[in-house]
Amino acid sequence: MSDCSESKNRNNSYDLAVIGAGSAGFSAAITAAEDGARVALIGYGTIGGTCVNVGCVPSKAMIRAVEIRHSAKRAKRFDGVEATAQVTDWAAMVAQKQTLVDDLRAAKYVDVLPNYQDVNYIEGRASFLKDGSLLVGDRTIRAPKVIIATGSTPHVPDIPGLDGIDWLDSTSALEQEQLPKSLMVMGGGYIGVEIAQIFARAGVDVTIVTRRGLLPDAEPEVSEALTQAFADEGIKVLDGLSYTKFEKSGETVVLHAARNGVAVRIEAEKLLLATGRVPNTSSLALDVAGIDTNMRGGIVIDPQMRSSRDGVYATGDVTGIDQFVYMAAYGAKLAAKNAMNGNTLSYDNSVMPAIVFSDPQVASVGLTETEARSAGHDVITSVLGLEHVPRALAARDTRGLIKLIADKETKKLLGAHIIAPEGADSIQTAAMALKMGMTYDDLGAMIFPYLTTVEGLKLAAQTFEKDVAKLSCCAG
């Protein structure tokens, strides 16, 4: 994309400079422009950032595509039904995914810019100078306020022998035009879980290797249920590992590790690294500008999105906090408003919904049981298996559960955690319940439509004090 700033602004001075042209950068630039600011939007690499190009959009498109093959395999759970489906052209699926990415990048980013005459897009890598101005190529961009929204990149662990392996990350894995026979996925977080299931459902023999298990920060009941679902699907999960080294054996990648003191050897045709993401800060010269970072390189910010340097804000993955596209955009809007209007708004993630698009889907909002106890609450919990949810029974798919966290004395809901085939579409109801300060009695008394997954929230709320197995349909 060409630099359109020269024709619009020849003195390189702006009210606001935004570094990063992904979802957070666009949110910040548009918000400030709508408030009357003249904005320099500085982008490096492909416009649009992680989500549309290599993250949310391509992964979810591929998840949906291979879901059809898996659904056909599971059709026999209904008496008298048989179905078949297969991946006949993986390269065609990859190409279709890329077409969607290209179309959305154009519609949501490239074609949006002309609508904002006060946003000047500048291509190039930005770095800070000591006076707080920005060097972009051979140009110096000056602005009294700067928002950093440069995102993150995949983390590469320090394991002997890894530098000799032609490994994949979540981006390159979904760009391959040929399926491997077997795949080793290192990491049990949300990226590893989603990508592993995509390839397993496409017919690849998948093994997940991880130190801490699947979704280690989730409620233990949720992690256990997902691990069992993966095992039932044929996805091997080797957790509790300590890694020794990698080596190449012919066309095979070999990981030497230990599990409970016993040596383990894992082999696969391809290796996918899914060991988290690290903030993109190394090229910004933050030390020159006196901008503090944490141990993982994330920019330290306060609730108003301010960094340690006056006038410089940061949002999204570059902070290492809440690495979700919607939280990046939310934080960017706050940063822009504060930069232009006096730091009156504070970041609030207390009712932030989070989703893992595995199958069954994992969704959560609010506190975990451990977090609630650490916060000083006398905690009471309700755990409802999906075998008590009529929607799941009708679908003959009772994989999963719903767990609610509440304060025992006040009955106020503190957190909700769902693992269910359609769990993602239910979490916003729980988020709104937490936002409104509802008790579990309040939630249990609400009217919910029968034979929906979200009705499980009502049943789980009733389970705090009732045995739902003894209730009739729609009782209570």
Side-chain angles (χ1 to χ4, degrees):
M1 183 173 181
S2 64
D3 179 349
C4 61
S5 64
E6 286 296 336
S7 62
K8 293 183 178 180
N9 193 318
R10 295 183 181 275
N11 62 15
N12 292 330
S13 294
Y14 300 86
D15 299 315
L16 172 70
V18 178
I19 311 173
S23 58
F26 265 70
S27 175
I30 290 171
T31 299
E34 288 177 340
D35 279 354
R38 291 164 52 253
V39 182
L41 176 60
I42 305 167
Y44 181 74
T46 306
I47 194 170
T50 296
C51 183
V52 71
N53 289 306
V54 298
C56 320
V57 171
S59 62
K60 278 52 178 181
M62 297 300 278
I63 285 170
R64 280 298 194 187
V66 296
E67 184 180 276
I68 296 169
R69 179 177 183 268
H70 183 72
S71 297
K73 289 176 63 177
R74 297 193 68 235
K76 288 184 178 180
R77 72 183 188 272
F78 295 99
D79 291 344
V81 177
E82 288 190 19
T84 59
Q86 58 182 326
V87 175
T88 58
D89 191 340
W90 173 260
M93 289 172 56
V94 171
Q96 185 186 46
K97 173 266 298 180
Q98 190 58 45
T99 298
L100 174 65
V101 168
D102 295 343
D103 289 347
L104 282 176
R105 184 196 308 119
K108 298 301 181 182
Y109 293 91
V110 176
D111 295 345
V112 166
L113 280 175
N115 296 304
Y116 296 92
Q117 294 300 308
D118 286 328
V119 176
N120 297 336
Y121 183 76
I122 302 170
E123 284 188 353
R125 191 192 294 269
S127 59
F128 279 91
L129 300 175
K130 191 171 183 179
D131 65 356
S133 59
L134 299 169
L135 184 64
V136 183
D138 60 356
R139 299 170 58 180
T140 300
I141 306 299
R142 294 179 175 84
K145 301 295 174 66
V146 177
I147 297 175
I148 305 171
T150 48
S152 63
T153 52
H155 170 254
V156 181
D158 184 15
I159 301 173
L162 183 58
D163 56 356
I165 304 298
D166 186 18
W167 47 265
L168 304 169
D169 59 21
S170 57
T171 300
S172 57
L174 296 182
E175 292 174 342
Q176 292 186 110
E177 294 188 354
Q178 186 173 352
L179 285 170
K181 291 183 175 61
S182 57
L183 178 67
M184 183 192 317
V185 177
M186 175 170 282
Y190 70 95
I191 295 174
V193 161
E194 291 182 2
I195 302 297
Q197 197 167 40
I198 288 172
F199 280 92
R201 290 186 166 187
V204 177
D205 182 11
V206 175
T207 301
I208 299 175
V209 296
T210 170
R211 289 189 173 100
R212 299 171 59 203
L214 298 188
L215 305 183
D217 296 324
E219 290 291 75
E221 297 93 336
V222 170
S223 296
E224 291 166 11
L226 185 63
T227 301
Q228 184 59 57
F230 272 32
D232 292 343
E233 229 174 275
I235 302 172
K236 296 181 285 293
V237 179
L238 299 178
D239 57 9
L241 296 178
S242 58
Y243 309 128
T244 305
K245 67 175 182 178
F246 279 103
E247 66 179 11
K248 189 81 171 167
S249 177
E251 298 301 313
T252 301
V253 177
V254 180
L255 171 63
H256 296 275
R259 192 183 195 194
N260 298 322
V262 178
V264 179
R265 176 187 171 101
I266 304 107
E267 299 182 3
E269 181 183 335
K270 291 286 187 178
L271 168 67
L272 167 68
L273 296 181
T275 50
R277 297 182 67 86
V278 293
N280 287 328
T281 54
S282 60
S283 65
L284 292 171
L286 298 179
D287 55 336
V288 173
I291 297 172
D292 293 341
T293 59
N294 59 29
M295 292 186 65
R296 288 182 64 85
I299 296 174
V300 177
I301 58 171
D302 68 7
Q304 286 71 47
M305 318 302 293
R306 296 175 294 190
S307 76
S308 57
R309 184 184 178 100
D310 186 43
V312 178
Y313 301 73
T315 182
D317 284 12
V318 75
T319 67
I321 300 170
D322 300 336
Q323 294 184 325
F324 301 100
V325 63
Y326 44 92
M327 297 305 290
Y330 160 70
K333 181 171 286 190
L334 293 183
K337 289 284 188 181
N338 283 341
M340 296 297 101
N341 301 308
N343 303 312
T344 59
L345 303 175
S346 296
Y347 186 87
D348 180 9
N349 62 357
S350 59
V351 288
M352 176 190 75
I355 295 168
V356 182
F357 287 90
S358 53
D359 179 26
Q361 295 168 349
V362 175
S364 63
V365 66
L367 301 179
T368 64
E369 182 176 351
T370 298
E371 289 169 342
R373 294 189 191 283
S374 297
H377 293 281
D378 184 8
V379 173
I380 184 171
T381 66
S382 165
V383 179
L384 180 76
L386 291 194
E387 67 273 13
H388 298 295
V389 179
R391 168 70 173 180
L393 291 170
R396 300 197 177 278
D397 190 353
T398 57
R399 296 171 300 153
L401 56 89
I402 298 171
K403 180 176 182 178
L404 299 180
I405 318 293
D407 182 275
K408 188 173 184 178
E409 181 179 354
T410 66
K411 300 185 179 182
K412 182 179 179 180
L413 290 166
L414 303 172
H417 307 270
I418 303 170
I419 176 168
E422 298 163 343
D425 292 331
S426 300
I427 199 61
Q428 193 62 25
T429 299
M432 294 175 73
L434 265 64
K435 182 70 173 178
M436 299 304 296
M438 292 176 68
T439 67
Y440 60 74
D441 282 342
D442 295 331
L443 186 60
M446 290 284 292
I447 299 172
F448 281 75
Y450 186 54
L451 282 176
T452 59
T453 300
V454 74
E455 183 196 18
L457 289 173
K458 174 188 178 78
L459 298 172
Q462 292 176 331
T463 300
F464 277 104
E465 296 183 2
K466 296 178 181 179
D467 182 354
V468 294
K470 296 180 180 179
L471 298 177
S472 67
C473 291
C474 303

